[in-house]
Amino acid sequence: MESGPCSRPAEPRHCVSGRAGAGLAFPAFPLSAAGAEPGSRIGTVAAVLPAGGCGERMGVRTPKQFCRVLERPLISYTLQAMERVCWIKDIVVTVTGENMEAMRSIIQRYGHKRISLAEAGATRHRSIFNGLKALAEDQPGCELTRPEVVIIHDAVRPFVEEDILLRVVLAAKEHGAAGAIRPLVSTVVSPSADGHLDHSLDRAKHRASEMPQAFHFDVIYEAYQKCSDFDLEFGTECLQLALKYCHRKAKLVEGTPDLWKVTYKQDLCAAEAMIKEKISQEICVVVNTKDEESVGHLLEEVLRNELNCIKVTSTVLDRTSGDIENFIDQCYSFICVNVVSSESRETRKLLSILEESSLPLLYPVVVVLDEQKLQESLVQSAAIIAALVKERNSALVGQLLVA
Ligand SMILES: Nc1ccn([C@@H]2O[C@H](COP(=O)(O)OP(=O)(O)OP(=O)(O)O)[C@@H](O)[C@H]2O)c(=O)n1
Ligand SMILES: O=P(O)(O)OC[C@@H](O)[C@@H](O)[C@@H](O)CO
């Protein structure tokens, strides 16, 4: 088992120096934040992300968790989503030995924190069990903490938000186990041995079990320790293990539509469309110097009117470029307005800052030249910029548009 980016390369399953979650002022999570008794607290929360599958149903050579969406591996989006939740102390990802190196480079490339690696198993349940063992075992020099509550979330479900994680964790804290559910889209039928309809289930009385799920760590760890080989080999439902082996009836929590699992190729296309939509919600207009600020504000106003649902901000790319660093974590579209020359040193500097940032999603950089033209063509420029931001065609990255 390996700890996060600060750790030495290690053999799978052996914790090494370097602390997962090291130095994390881990907030004891105030339950009152979610409507529980004021002053009550939850203990440590950790997450296990099984990522050891081969993605057979995806039909491509690369395991789907490593397939790229907008130039970035799918799993990195899931890690980013989990890392946004400050009260998750440790995130254990289980990957096969052959993918350990690839996973380590993704962690390094995208600046993921709080990540520890454990070796996957031959089935999803075995992978999850290995992740739980990494959290349970007090390995020398390893800083993983045995959590009170553990989240289990498929690494190929990238659209998970803090709200559902919170609701599932609080439900697990109270009931011992909890999981997200969604209404069934198709009716479930039971075929007879000869392939005819035996019966169908009442769709209104059934739900689809999704992720995230959460458990008292001791409950789910005991369930996996008692689990039969048959269940480890063929089971697909962690909630069922808690029920069968620990007699814990999981609390079912209504989930959001975007909890779906990337399974088939069309799911990857849908994920790309959703990610494009999410990262096009904010535009940052960057001007090089203070005396161009008025131009930036002018373009900001027109863009805001042109793109009414998108947040538009503007900033000055000061000499230290400190401002841009602040934007990089939440903005993915930077419009550099340069009224001096397209070869401006500052424009090139912005491009290199974005390329070096840990979130190198596609940034169509538009440079609008000539202040006079800008005034005349402001609305047209805004329309072109909006199209570039939404399209995010890789051929457009870093292009200079002379309007
Ligand atoms: N031996 C396995 C099998 C699956 N998983 C993980 O469990 C999650 C959900 O499983 P699934 O969608 O079935 O992934 P695959 O098994 O890779 O897909 P397929 O069944 O199409 O091969 C994925 O993140 C997958 O990487 C795992 O950690 N270890
Ligand atoms: O069976 P798969 O490996 O595709 O999916 C595993 C889980 O995501 C799936 O069983 C959910 O219903 C949650 O339990």
Side-chain angles (χ1 to χ4, degrees), residues 3-8 17-20 22 108:
S3 287
C6 53
S7 60
R8 297 189 310 274
S17 63
R19 302 174 56 200
Q108 200 66 34

Side-chain angles (χ1 to χ4, degrees), residues 50-57 64-65 121-124 127 154-156 261:
C54 61
E56 194 178 333
R57 288 170 284 182
K64 59 187 179 185
Q65 59 273 31
T123 64
R124 176 173 172 269
S127 293
D154 294 328
V156 291
K261 178 165 65 75

Side-chain angles (χ1 to χ4, degrees), residues 57 64 124 154 157 209-211 213 236-238 261 263:
R57 288 170 284 182
K64 59 187 179 185
R124 176 173 172 269
D154 294 328
R157 294 175 186 259
S209 171
E210 304 294 348
M211 307 300 266
Q213 298 177 348
T236 61
E237 185 48 79
C238 307
K261 178 165 65 75
T263 303

